[in-house]
Structures are given as structure tokens and as C-alpha cells.
Short mmCIF file of all heavy atoms in Angstrom, two decimals:
data_model
loop_
_atom_site.label_atom_id
_atom_site.label_comp_id
_atom_site.label_asym_id
_atom_site.label_seq_id
_atom_site.Cartn_x
_atom_site.Cartn_y
_atom_site.Cartn_z
N ASP A 25 0.85 -1.19 0.00
CA ASP A 25 0.00 0.00 0.00
C ASP A 25 0.88 1.24 0.00
O ASP A 25 1.70 1.44 0.89
CB ASP A 25 -0.93 -0.03 1.21
CG ASP A 25 -1.98 1.05 1.19
OD1 ASP A 25 -2.07 1.81 0.24
OD2 ASP A 25 -2.72 1.11 2.17
N GLU A 26 0.74 2.07 -0.98
CA GLU A 26 1.59 3.24 -1.13
C GLU A 26 1.39 4.27 -0.03
O GLU A 26 2.26 5.08 0.23
CB GLU A 26 1.34 3.89 -2.48
CG GLU A 26 1.77 3.02 -3.65
CD GLU A 26 1.48 3.70 -4.97
OE1 GLU A 26 1.70 4.91 -5.08
OE2 GLU A 26 1.03 2.99 -5.88
N LEU A 27 0.24 4.25 0.63
CA LEU A 27 -0.05 5.25 1.65
C LEU A 27 0.66 4.96 2.96
O LEU A 27 0.74 5.81 3.82
CB LEU A 27 -1.56 5.32 1.90
CG LEU A 27 -2.40 5.77 0.71
CD1 LEU A 27 -3.88 5.71 1.06
CD2 LEU A 27 -2.02 7.18 0.29
N MET A 28 1.19 3.77 3.11
CA MET A 28 1.82 3.39 4.36
C MET A 28 3.33 3.58 4.28
O MET A 28 3.96 3.21 3.32
CB MET A 28 1.50 1.93 4.70
CG MET A 28 0.02 1.73 4.99
SD MET A 28 -0.39 0.04 5.37
CE MET A 28 0.62 -0.27 6.77
N SER A 29 3.91 4.15 5.33
CA SER A 29 5.35 4.32 5.38
C SER A 29 6.00 3.01 5.84
O SER A 29 5.33 2.09 6.30
CB SER A 29 5.70 5.44 6.37
OG SER A 29 5.43 5.00 7.69
N ASN A 30 7.30 2.94 5.73
CA ASN A 30 8.02 1.76 6.18
C ASN A 30 7.80 1.52 7.67
O ASN A 30 7.70 0.39 8.12
CB ASN A 30 9.51 1.88 5.89
CG ASN A 30 9.79 1.71 4.41
OD1 ASN A 30 9.01 1.12 3.69
ND2 ASN A 30 10.92 2.26 3.96
N GLY A 31 7.72 2.60 8.44
CA GLY A 31 7.46 2.47 9.88
C GLY A 31 6.10 1.86 10.15
O GLY A 31 5.94 1.04 11.06
N ASP A 32 5.11 2.27 9.36
CA ASP A 32 3.77 1.70 9.51
C ASP A 32 3.78 0.22 9.20
O ASP A 32 3.17 -0.58 9.90
CB ASP A 32 2.76 2.40 8.59
CG ASP A 32 2.49 3.84 9.00
OD1 ASP A 32 2.66 4.17 10.18
OD2 ASP A 32 2.09 4.62 8.12
N ASN A 33 4.47 -0.16 8.13
CA ASN A 33 4.55 -1.57 7.76
C ASN A 33 5.23 -2.37 8.85
O ASN A 33 4.80 -3.47 9.19
CB ASN A 33 5.33 -1.75 6.44
CG ASN A 33 4.49 -1.39 5.24
OD1 ASN A 33 3.28 -1.62 5.23
ND2 ASN A 33 5.13 -0.83 4.24
N PHE A 34 6.30 -1.82 9.42
CA PHE A 34 7.01 -2.51 10.50
C PHE A 34 6.08 -2.73 11.69
O PHE A 34 6.03 -3.81 12.26
CB PHE A 34 8.24 -1.71 10.92
CG PHE A 34 8.99 -2.34 12.06
CD1 PHE A 34 9.83 -3.41 11.84
CD2 PHE A 34 8.85 -1.85 13.35
CE1 PHE A 34 10.53 -4.00 12.88
CE2 PHE A 34 9.53 -2.43 14.40
CZ PHE A 34 10.38 -3.51 14.17
N ALA A 35 5.33 -1.68 12.05
CA ALA A 35 4.42 -1.78 13.20
C ALA A 35 3.35 -2.83 12.94
O ALA A 35 3.03 -3.63 13.82
CB ALA A 35 3.79 -0.42 13.49
N LEU A 36 2.77 -2.83 11.75
CA LEU A 36 1.73 -3.80 11.43
C LEU A 36 2.26 -5.22 11.43
O LEU A 36 1.57 -6.15 11.86
CB LEU A 36 1.09 -3.48 10.08
CG LEU A 36 0.16 -2.29 10.05
CD1 LEU A 36 -0.32 -2.03 8.62
CD2 LEU A 36 -1.03 -2.50 10.97
N ASN A 37 3.48 -5.42 10.98
CA ASN A 37 4.05 -6.76 10.96
C ASN A 37 4.31 -7.29 12.35
O ASN A 37 4.42 -8.50 12.55
CB ASN A 37 5.35 -6.77 10.14
CG ASN A 37 5.09 -6.62 8.66
OD1 ASN A 37 4.02 -6.98 8.18
ND2 ASN A 37 6.06 -6.09 7.95
N ASN A 38 4.40 -6.42 13.33
CA ASN A 38 4.70 -6.84 14.69
C ASN A 38 3.47 -6.93 15.59
O ASN A 38 3.59 -7.24 16.77
CB ASN A 38 5.74 -5.90 15.31
CG ASN A 38 7.10 -6.10 14.69
OD1 ASN A 38 7.56 -7.23 14.56
ND2 ASN A 38 7.72 -5.03 14.27
N ILE A 39 2.32 -6.66 15.05
CA ILE A 39 1.09 -6.80 15.83
C ILE A 39 0.77 -8.29 15.98
O ILE A 39 0.86 -9.04 15.02
CB ILE A 39 -0.08 -6.06 15.15
CG1 ILE A 39 0.17 -4.56 15.14
CG2 ILE A 39 -1.40 -6.37 15.86
CD1 ILE A 39 -0.90 -3.77 14.40
N SER A 40 0.42 -8.69 17.17
CA SER A 40 0.12 -10.09 17.41
C SER A 40 -1.10 -10.54 16.61
O SER A 40 -1.94 -9.72 16.22
CB SER A 40 -0.12 -10.34 18.89
OG SER A 40 -1.37 -9.79 19.27
N GLU A 41 -1.18 -11.83 16.39
CA GLU A 41 -2.33 -12.39 15.66
C GLU A 41 -3.63 -12.07 16.38
O GLU A 41 -4.66 -11.80 15.75
CB GLU A 41 -2.16 -13.89 15.48
CG GLU A 41 -1.09 -14.28 14.49
CD GLU A 41 -1.33 -13.71 13.10
OE1 GLU A 41 -2.47 -13.79 12.59
OE2 GLU A 41 -0.37 -13.18 12.51
N GLU A 42 -3.60 -12.07 17.69
CA GLU A 42 -4.81 -11.76 18.47
C GLU A 42 -5.26 -10.33 18.20
O GLU A 42 -6.44 -10.07 17.99
CB GLU A 42 -4.55 -11.95 19.96
CG GLU A 42 -5.77 -11.71 20.82
CD GLU A 42 -5.50 -11.97 22.29
OE1 GLU A 42 -4.44 -12.53 22.63
OE2 GLU A 42 -6.36 -11.60 23.10
N CYS A 43 -4.32 -9.41 18.16
CA CYS A 43 -4.66 -8.01 17.87
C CYS A 43 -5.20 -7.87 16.45
O CYS A 43 -6.15 -7.11 16.23
CB CYS A 43 -3.45 -7.11 18.05
SG CYS A 43 -3.02 -6.82 19.77
N LYS A 44 -4.60 -8.59 15.52
CA LYS A 44 -5.08 -8.54 14.14
C LYS A 44 -6.53 -9.02 14.06
O LYS A 44 -7.36 -8.42 13.38
CB LYS A 44 -4.20 -9.38 13.22
CG LYS A 44 -2.84 -8.78 12.96
CD LYS A 44 -2.02 -9.70 12.08
CE LYS A 44 -0.60 -9.19 11.92
NZ LYS A 44 0.22 -10.10 11.11
N THR A 45 -6.82 -10.10 14.77
CA THR A 45 -8.19 -10.63 14.78
C THR A 45 -9.15 -9.63 15.40
O THR A 45 -10.24 -9.40 14.85
CB THR A 45 -8.23 -11.96 15.56
OG1 THR A 45 -7.37 -12.90 14.92
CG2 THR A 45 -9.64 -12.52 15.61
N LEU A 46 -8.74 -9.02 16.50
CA LEU A 46 -9.60 -8.02 17.15
C LEU A 46 -9.84 -6.81 16.25
O LEU A 46 -10.95 -6.28 16.18
CB LEU A 46 -9.00 -7.59 18.48
CG LEU A 46 -9.01 -8.63 19.59
CD1 LEU A 46 -8.22 -8.15 20.79
CD2 LEU A 46 -10.43 -9.01 19.99
N LEU A 47 -8.80 -6.38 15.55
CA LEU A 47 -8.96 -5.25 14.62
C LEU A 47 -9.90 -5.60 13.48
O LEU A 47 -10.72 -4.77 13.06
CB LEU A 47 -7.60 -4.80 14.08
CG LEU A 47 -6.72 -4.05 15.06
CD1 LEU A 47 -5.32 -3.87 14.49
CD2 LEU A 47 -7.34 -2.71 15.43
N LYS A 48 -9.81 -6.81 12.97
CA LYS A 48 -10.71 -7.25 11.89
C LYS A 48 -12.15 -7.26 12.38
O LYS A 48 -13.07 -6.83 11.66
CB LYS A 48 -10.31 -8.63 11.38
CG LYS A 48 -9.05 -8.62 10.55
CD LYS A 48 -8.68 -10.02 10.12
CE LYS A 48 -7.36 -10.05 9.39
NZ LYS A 48 -6.97 -11.42 8.99
N LEU A 49 -12.37 -7.76 13.59
CA LEU A 49 -13.72 -7.78 14.15
C LEU A 49 -14.25 -6.37 14.35
O LEU A 49 -15.42 -6.08 14.04
CB LEU A 49 -13.74 -8.53 15.48
CG LEU A 49 -13.53 -10.03 15.41
CD1 LEU A 49 -13.32 -10.62 16.80
CD2 LEU A 49 -14.71 -10.70 14.72
N GLN A 50 -13.40 -5.49 14.85
CA GLN A 50 -13.81 -4.10 15.06
C GLN A 50 -14.15 -3.42 13.74
O GLN A 50 -15.14 -2.71 13.63
CB GLN A 50 -12.71 -3.34 15.79
CG GLN A 50 -13.12 -1.93 16.18
CD GLN A 50 -12.04 -1.22 16.94
OE1 GLN A 50 -10.85 -1.45 16.73
NE2 GLN A 50 -12.45 -0.33 17.83
N ARG A 51 -13.33 -3.66 12.72
CA ARG A 51 -13.59 -3.09 11.40
C ARG A 51 -14.92 -3.60 10.85
O ARG A 51 -15.73 -2.84 10.33
CB ARG A 51 -12.45 -3.44 10.44
CG ARG A 51 -12.66 -2.87 9.04
CD ARG A 51 -11.63 -3.36 8.07
NE ARG A 51 -11.81 -4.80 7.89
CZ ARG A 51 -10.85 -5.64 7.55
NH1 ARG A 51 -9.63 -5.22 7.36
NH2 ARG A 51 -11.10 -6.92 7.41
N HIS A 52 -15.17 -4.90 11.01
CA HIS A 52 -16.42 -5.50 10.54
C HIS A 52 -17.61 -4.85 11.24
O HIS A 52 -18.60 -4.46 10.59
CB HIS A 52 -16.41 -7.01 10.80
CG HIS A 52 -17.71 -7.67 10.54
ND1 HIS A 52 -18.13 -8.03 9.28
CD2 HIS A 52 -18.73 -8.01 11.37
CE1 HIS A 52 -19.33 -8.57 9.35
NE2 HIS A 52 -19.71 -8.58 10.61
N ASP A 53 -17.53 -4.72 12.57
CA ASP A 53 -18.62 -4.11 13.32
C ASP A 53 -18.83 -2.66 12.92
O ASP A 53 -19.97 -2.20 12.77
CB ASP A 53 -18.35 -4.19 14.83
CG ASP A 53 -18.48 -5.60 15.37
OD1 ASP A 53 -19.01 -6.48 14.65
OD2 ASP A 53 -18.06 -5.83 16.52
N PHE A 54 -17.73 -1.93 12.73
CA PHE A 54 -17.82 -0.52 12.35
C PHE A 54 -18.53 -0.36 11.01
O PHE A 54 -19.44 0.46 10.86
CB PHE A 54 -16.42 0.09 12.31
CG PHE A 54 -16.40 1.53 11.92
CD1 PHE A 54 -16.87 2.51 12.80
CD2 PHE A 54 -15.93 1.93 10.68
CE1 PHE A 54 -16.86 3.85 12.43
CE2 PHE A 54 -15.91 3.26 10.32
CZ PHE A 54 -16.37 4.22 11.19
N LEU A 55 -18.11 -1.17 10.03
CA LEU A 55 -18.75 -1.11 8.71
C LEU A 55 -20.22 -1.49 8.79
O LEU A 55 -21.06 -0.89 8.12
CB LEU A 55 -18.01 -2.00 7.72
CG LEU A 55 -16.63 -1.50 7.30
CD1 LEU A 55 -15.93 -2.54 6.43
CD2 LEU A 55 -16.73 -0.18 6.56
N ASN A 56 -20.54 -2.47 9.62
CA ASN A 56 -21.94 -2.86 9.81
C ASN A 56 -22.75 -1.70 10.37
O ASN A 56 -23.85 -1.42 9.88
CB ASN A 56 -22.03 -4.07 10.72
CG ASN A 56 -23.46 -4.53 10.90
OD1 ASN A 56 -24.14 -4.88 9.95
ND2 ASN A 56 -23.93 -4.52 12.15
N HIS A 57 -22.21 -1.02 11.37
CA HIS A 57 -22.92 0.13 11.95
C HIS A 57 -23.14 1.22 10.90
O HIS A 57 -24.22 1.81 10.82
CB HIS A 57 -22.14 0.70 13.14
CG HIS A 57 -22.17 -0.16 14.35
ND1 HIS A 57 -23.31 -0.70 14.89
CD2 HIS A 57 -21.16 -0.59 15.14
CE1 HIS A 57 -23.02 -1.41 15.96
NE2 HIS A 57 -21.72 -1.37 16.12
N LEU A 58 -22.11 1.48 10.10
CA LEU A 58 -22.26 2.50 9.04
C LEU A 58 -23.35 2.10 8.04
O LEU A 58 -24.13 2.96 7.61
CB LEU A 58 -20.94 2.72 8.32
CG LEU A 58 -19.86 3.44 9.09
CD1 LEU A 58 -18.58 3.52 8.27
CD2 LEU A 58 -20.30 4.83 9.51
N GLN A 59 -23.42 0.83 7.69
CA GLN A 59 -24.44 0.38 6.74
C GLN A 59 -25.84 0.49 7.33
O GLN A 59 -26.79 0.86 6.62
CB GLN A 59 -24.14 -1.06 6.32
CG GLN A 59 -22.93 -1.16 5.42
CD GLN A 59 -22.52 -2.59 5.14
OE1 GLN A 59 -22.81 -3.51 5.91
NE2 GLN A 59 -21.83 -2.80 4.02
N VAL A 60 -25.98 0.21 8.61
CA VAL A 60 -27.29 0.36 9.26
C VAL A 60 -27.70 1.82 9.25
O VAL A 60 -28.84 2.16 8.89
CB VAL A 60 -27.25 -0.20 10.71
CG1 VAL A 60 -28.52 0.17 11.47
CG2 VAL A 60 -27.07 -1.72 10.69
N ILE A 61 -26.78 2.70 9.62
CA ILE A 61 -27.08 4.14 9.62
C ILE A 61 -27.42 4.61 8.21
O ILE A 61 -28.40 5.34 8.00
CB ILE A 61 -25.89 4.94 10.19
CG1 ILE A 61 -25.72 4.61 11.68
CG2 ILE A 61 -26.07 6.44 9.98
CD1 ILE A 61 -24.39 5.05 12.26
N GLN A 62 -26.66 4.18 7.23
CA GLN A 62 -26.93 4.53 5.84
C GLN A 62 -28.32 4.07 5.42
O GLN A 62 -29.06 4.81 4.78
CB GLN A 62 -25.87 3.91 4.93
CG GLN A 62 -26.05 4.26 3.47
CD GLN A 62 -25.01 3.58 2.59
OE1 GLN A 62 -24.66 2.42 2.82
NE2 GLN A 62 -24.51 4.30 1.61
N GLY A 63 -28.69 2.87 5.82
CA GLY A 63 -30.02 2.34 5.49
C GLY A 63 -31.12 3.19 6.09
O GLY A 63 -32.10 3.51 5.40
N PHE A 64 -30.97 3.54 7.36
CA PHE A 64 -31.98 4.40 7.99
C PHE A 64 -32.10 5.73 7.26
O PHE A 64 -33.21 6.23 7.01
CB PHE A 64 -31.65 4.65 9.47
CG PHE A 64 -31.95 3.49 10.37
CD1 PHE A 64 -31.03 3.10 11.34
CD2 PHE A 64 -33.15 2.79 10.30
CE1 PHE A 64 -31.29 2.05 12.19
CE2 PHE A 64 -33.42 1.74 11.15
CZ PHE A 64 -32.49 1.36 12.10
N LEU A 65 -30.96 6.31 6.90
CA LEU A 65 -30.98 7.61 6.22
C LEU A 65 -31.60 7.49 4.83
O LEU A 65 -32.37 8.36 4.41
CB LEU A 65 -29.57 8.19 6.14
CG LEU A 65 -28.95 8.59 7.49
CD1 LEU A 65 -27.51 9.02 7.30
CD2 LEU A 65 -29.77 9.67 8.17
N GLN A 66 -31.29 6.42 4.11
CA GLN A 66 -31.87 6.22 2.78
C GLN A 66 -33.38 6.05 2.85
O GLN A 66 -34.10 6.43 1.92
CB GLN A 66 -31.23 5.01 2.10
CG GLN A 66 -29.83 5.27 1.63
CD GLN A 66 -29.15 4.03 1.08
OE1 GLN A 66 -29.52 2.91 1.39
NE2 GLN A 66 -28.14 4.25 0.25
N LEU A 67 -33.86 5.50 3.96
CA LEU A 67 -35.30 5.32 4.14
C LEU A 67 -35.97 6.56 4.74
O LEU A 67 -37.17 6.56 4.99
CB LEU A 67 -35.57 4.11 5.05
CG LEU A 67 -35.17 2.75 4.48
CD1 LEU A 67 -35.29 1.67 5.55
CD2 LEU A 67 -36.04 2.40 3.28
N GLY A 68 -35.16 7.60 4.96
CA GLY A 68 -35.72 8.84 5.52
C GLY A 68 -35.99 8.75 7.00
O GLY A 68 -36.71 9.58 7.56
N LYS A 69 -35.39 7.77 7.66
CA LYS A 69 -35.61 7.57 9.10
C LYS A 69 -34.46 8.21 9.89
O LYS A 69 -33.70 7.55 10.58
CB LYS A 69 -35.73 6.08 9.41
CG LYS A 69 -36.92 5.44 8.74
CD LYS A 69 -37.06 3.99 9.14
CE LYS A 69 -38.32 3.41 8.49
NZ LYS A 69 -38.62 2.08 8.98
N THR A 70 -34.40 9.53 9.78
CA THR A 70 -33.32 10.29 10.41
C THR A 70 -33.32 10.12 11.92
O THR A 70 -32.27 9.92 12.53
CB THR A 70 -33.43 11.78 10.05
OG1 THR A 70 -33.52 11.90 8.64
CG2 THR A 70 -32.24 12.56 10.56
N ASP A 71 -34.49 10.17 12.53
CA ASP A 71 -34.57 10.02 13.98
C ASP A 71 -34.06 8.65 14.42
O ASP A 71 -33.37 8.54 15.43
CB ASP A 71 -36.01 10.21 14.47
CG ASP A 71 -36.48 11.65 14.39
OD1 ASP A 71 -35.62 12.54 14.25
OD2 ASP A 71 -37.70 11.87 14.45
N ARG A 72 -34.39 7.63 13.64
CA ARG A 72 -33.93 6.28 13.98
C ARG A 72 -32.42 6.17 13.82
O ARG A 72 -31.74 5.55 14.63
CB ARG A 72 -34.64 5.24 13.10
CG ARG A 72 -34.32 3.81 13.45
CD ARG A 72 -34.76 3.47 14.87
NE ARG A 72 -34.34 2.15 15.23
CZ ARG A 72 -33.33 1.86 16.05
NH1 ARG A 72 -32.67 2.83 16.64
NH2 ARG A 72 -33.01 0.63 16.32
N ALA A 73 -31.86 6.81 12.80
CA ALA A 73 -30.41 6.81 12.60
C ALA A 73 -29.71 7.51 13.77
O ALA A 73 -28.69 7.02 14.27
CB ALA A 73 -30.05 7.51 11.28
N LEU A 74 -30.27 8.62 14.22
CA LEU A 74 -29.68 9.34 15.35
C LEU A 74 -29.74 8.51 16.63
O LEU A 74 -28.77 8.47 17.39
CB LEU A 74 -30.39 10.68 15.55
CG LEU A 74 -30.11 11.73 14.48
CD1 LEU A 74 -31.03 12.94 14.67
CD2 LEU A 74 -28.65 12.15 14.51
N ARG A 75 -30.86 7.83 16.87
CA ARG A 75 -30.97 6.97 18.06
C ARG A 75 -29.97 5.83 17.99
O ARG A 75 -29.34 5.48 18.99
CB ARG A 75 -32.40 6.41 18.21
CG ARG A 75 -33.40 7.40 18.75
CD ARG A 75 -34.67 6.73 19.26
NE ARG A 75 -35.24 5.75 18.35
CZ ARG A 75 -36.14 6.01 17.41
NH1 ARG A 75 -36.60 7.25 17.27
NH2 ARG A 75 -36.61 5.06 16.63
N TYR A 76 -29.82 5.25 16.81
CA TYR A 76 -28.86 4.16 16.62
C TYR A 76 -27.45 4.65 16.92
O TYR A 76 -26.68 3.98 17.63
CB TYR A 76 -28.97 3.63 15.18
CG TYR A 76 -28.14 2.40 14.94
CD1 TYR A 76 -28.62 1.14 15.28
CD2 TYR A 76 -26.88 2.48 14.36
CE1 TYR A 76 -27.86 0.00 15.05
CE2 TYR A 76 -26.12 1.34 14.13
CZ TYR A 76 -26.62 0.11 14.48
OH TYR A 76 -25.88 -1.01 14.27
N MET A 77 -27.10 5.83 16.42
CA MET A 77 -25.79 6.40 16.69
C MET A 77 -25.59 6.69 18.17
O MET A 77 -24.51 6.44 18.72
CB MET A 77 -25.57 7.66 15.85
CG MET A 77 -25.43 7.33 14.37
SD MET A 77 -25.28 8.71 13.18
CE MET A 77 -25.06 10.15 14.10
N GLU A 78 -26.62 7.19 18.83
CA GLU A 78 -26.54 7.45 20.27
C GLU A 78 -26.30 6.15 21.03
O GLU A 78 -25.51 6.13 22.00
CB GLU A 78 -27.80 8.14 20.76
CG GLU A 78 -27.92 9.58 20.29
CD GLU A 78 -29.31 10.17 20.50
OE1 GLU A 78 -30.21 9.48 21.02
OE2 GLU A 78 -29.49 11.35 20.14
N ASP A 79 -26.94 5.07 20.61
CA ASP A 79 -26.73 3.77 21.25
C ASP A 79 -25.29 3.30 21.08
O ASP A 79 -24.67 2.78 22.02
CB ASP A 79 -27.68 2.72 20.67
CG ASP A 79 -29.13 2.94 21.06
OD1 ASP A 79 -29.39 3.71 22.02
OD2 ASP A 79 -30.01 2.35 20.40
N ILE A 80 -24.74 3.48 19.88
CA ILE A 80 -23.36 3.09 19.62
C ILE A 80 -22.41 3.91 20.50
O ILE A 80 -21.49 3.36 21.11
CB ILE A 80 -23.00 3.28 18.13
CG1 ILE A 80 -23.80 2.32 17.27
CG2 ILE A 80 -21.50 3.07 17.91
CD1 ILE A 80 -23.71 2.63 15.79
N ILE A 81 -22.64 5.20 20.57
CA ILE A 81 -21.79 6.08 21.39
C ILE A 81 -21.85 5.65 22.85
O ILE A 81 -20.82 5.58 23.53
CB ILE A 81 -22.21 7.56 21.21
CG1 ILE A 81 -21.85 8.02 19.79
CG2 ILE A 81 -21.56 8.45 22.26
CD1 ILE A 81 -22.48 9.34 19.39
N GLU A 82 -23.03 5.33 23.33
CA GLU A 82 -23.18 4.87 24.72
C GLU A 82 -22.41 3.56 24.94
O GLU A 82 -21.72 3.40 25.95
CB GLU A 82 -24.65 4.68 25.06
CG GLU A 82 -24.89 4.31 26.51
CD GLU A 82 -26.37 4.19 26.83
OE1 GLU A 82 -27.19 4.83 26.15
OE2 GLU A 82 -26.69 3.45 27.77
N ASP A 83 -22.50 2.65 23.98
CA ASP A 83 -21.76 1.38 24.09
C ASP A 83 -20.26 1.63 24.15
O ASP A 83 -19.54 1.01 24.94
CB ASP A 83 -22.09 0.46 22.92
CG ASP A 83 -23.50 -0.10 22.97
OD1 ASP A 83 -24.16 0.01 24.03
OD2 ASP A 83 -23.94 -0.65 21.94
N VAL A 84 -19.76 2.52 23.30
CA VAL A 84 -18.33 2.83 23.29
C VAL A 84 -17.90 3.45 24.61
O VAL A 84 -16.85 3.10 25.17
CB VAL A 84 -17.97 3.75 22.10
CG1 VAL A 84 -16.55 4.27 22.21
CG2 VAL A 84 -18.19 3.02 20.79
N ARG A 85 -18.71 4.32 25.15
CA ARG A 85 -18.38 4.94 26.45
C ARG A 85 -18.36 3.90 27.56
O ARG A 85 -17.52 3.96 28.46
CB ARG A 85 -19.36 6.07 26.75
CG ARG A 85 -19.10 7.28 25.89
CD ARG A 85 -19.95 8.46 26.27
NE ARG A 85 -19.58 9.61 25.44
CZ ARG A 85 -20.43 10.49 24.97
NH1 ARG A 85 -21.71 10.39 25.27
NH2 ARG A 85 -20.03 11.50 24.23
N ASP A 86 -19.28 2.95 27.50
CA ASP A 86 -19.29 1.86 28.49
C ASP A 86 -18.01 1.04 28.40
O ASP A 86 -17.42 0.67 29.42
CB ASP A 86 -20.51 0.96 28.30
CG ASP A 86 -21.81 1.62 28.70
OD1 ASP A 86 -21.79 2.65 29.41
OD2 ASP A 86 -22.88 1.09 28.30
N ILE A 87 -17.56 0.77 27.18
CA ILE A 87 -16.32 0.01 26.99
C ILE A 87 -15.14 0.81 27.52
O ILE A 87 -14.24 0.26 28.17
CB ILE A 87 -16.14 -0.34 25.49
CG1 ILE A 87 -17.19 -1.37 25.07
CG2 ILE A 87 -14.73 -0.87 25.23
CD1 ILE A 87 -17.28 -1.60 23.58
N GLU A 88 -15.13 2.12 27.26
CA GLU A 88 -14.06 2.96 27.78
C GLU A 88 -14.00 2.90 29.30
O GLU A 88 -12.91 2.83 29.88
CB GLU A 88 -14.25 4.42 27.33
CG GLU A 88 -13.97 4.65 25.86
CD GLU A 88 -14.32 6.06 25.41
OE1 GLU A 88 -14.99 6.81 26.17
OE2 GLU A 88 -13.92 6.42 24.31
N LYS A 89 -15.14 2.91 29.95
CA LYS A 89 -15.19 2.82 31.42
C LYS A 89 -14.63 1.48 31.90
O LYS A 89 -13.87 1.43 32.88
CB LYS A 89 -16.63 3.00 31.91
CG LYS A 89 -17.16 4.40 31.76
CD LYS A 89 -18.62 4.46 32.17
CE LYS A 89 -19.24 5.79 31.82
NZ LYS A 89 -20.70 5.81 32.09
N LEU A 90 -15.00 0.40 31.21
CA LEU A 90 -14.48 -0.91 31.59
C LEU A 90 -12.97 -0.98 31.41
O LEU A 90 -12.26 -1.53 32.26
CB LEU A 90 -15.15 -2.01 30.76
CG LEU A 90 -16.60 -2.33 31.09
CD1 LEU A 90 -17.18 -3.30 30.07
CD2 LEU A 90 -16.70 -2.91 32.49
N LEU A 91 -12.48 -0.43 30.31
CA LEU A 91 -11.04 -0.43 30.08
C LEU A 91 -10.30 0.39 31.13
O LEU A 91 -9.21 0.01 31.57
CB LEU A 91 -10.73 0.09 28.68
CG LEU A 91 -11.13 -0.82 27.52
CD1 LEU A 91 -10.94 -0.11 26.19
CD2 LEU A 91 -10.36 -2.12 27.56
N ALA A 92 -10.89 1.51 31.54
CA ALA A 92 -10.27 2.33 32.57
C ALA A 92 -10.21 1.57 33.88
O ALA A 92 -9.19 1.63 34.60
CB ALA A 92 -11.05 3.64 32.72
N LYS A 93 -11.27 0.85 34.22
CA LYS A 93 -11.27 0.05 35.46
C LYS A 93 -10.25 -1.07 35.38
O LYS A 93 -9.55 -1.36 36.34
CB LYS A 93 -12.66 -0.52 35.72
CG LYS A 93 -13.66 0.50 36.17
CD LYS A 93 -15.01 -0.14 36.44
CE LYS A 93 -16.03 0.91 36.82
NZ LYS A 93 -17.36 0.33 37.06
N ALA A 94 -10.16 -1.72 34.21
CA ALA A 94 -9.21 -2.82 34.04
C ALA A 94 -7.78 -2.32 34.14
O ALA A 94 -6.90 -3.02 34.65
CB ALA A 94 -9.44 -3.51 32.69
N LYS A 95 -7.54 -1.11 33.67
CA LYS A 95 -6.21 -0.53 33.73
C LYS A 95 -5.77 -0.34 35.17
O LYS A 95 -4.59 -0.46 35.50
CB LYS A 95 -6.19 0.81 32.99
CG LYS A 95 -4.87 1.51 32.95
CD LYS A 95 -4.97 2.83 32.21
CE LYS A 95 -3.66 3.57 32.27
NZ LYS A 95 -3.77 4.89 31.65
N ASP A 96 -6.73 -0.03 36.05
CA ASP A 96 -6.43 0.22 37.45
C ASP A 96 -6.19 -1.06 38.25
O ASP A 96 -5.73 -1.02 39.37
CB ASP A 96 -7.57 1.01 38.10
CG ASP A 96 -7.68 2.42 37.54
OD1 ASP A 96 -6.67 2.94 37.01
OD2 ASP A 96 -8.77 3.01 37.62
N LEU A 97 -6.51 -2.21 37.66
CA LEU A 97 -6.34 -3.49 38.39
C LEU A 97 -4.90 -3.93 38.44
O LEU A 97 -4.08 -3.68 37.68
CB LEU A 97 -7.19 -4.58 37.74
CG LEU A 97 -8.69 -4.35 37.78
CD1 LEU A 97 -9.41 -5.49 37.04
CD2 LEU A 97 -9.20 -4.29 39.21
#
């Protein structure tokens, strides 16, 4: 990929397989969320798209709280 520097390639090559799997899952979920939002917007369901986004934001904040607690352990 021309957009990636040698440093980026080095970093990616050193990521553990577990991290790679987690990143793939996160990317899949992210794209799924975008497609759901896109669908709501295409159907003119702006309010539903906004609620869906608010739910995602709340979920991310909950995960951030859990990670912060885990960091303190």
C-alpha cells in the first residue's frame, strides 16, 4: 500500500495475531454500523439513525469505562 510508510509496515508486521483478529472484528462491526445508519438515512428515518448512533456512542463509552477500570487493576 503506497499510503503506508516503512514504519507503519514494520508496526503492522509486529502486531500479534490476536490483535489482528480483534482489529478485523472491530472493522467489521464498524462497517456494519455504518451500513445500518446509511439504510436508515436512505429510508428517511433520520430520527432512527440518530438513536442508533446514540446507542453506539453509549456502548463505546461503556467500553471505555471498563477499560479504565481494568487498567487500574
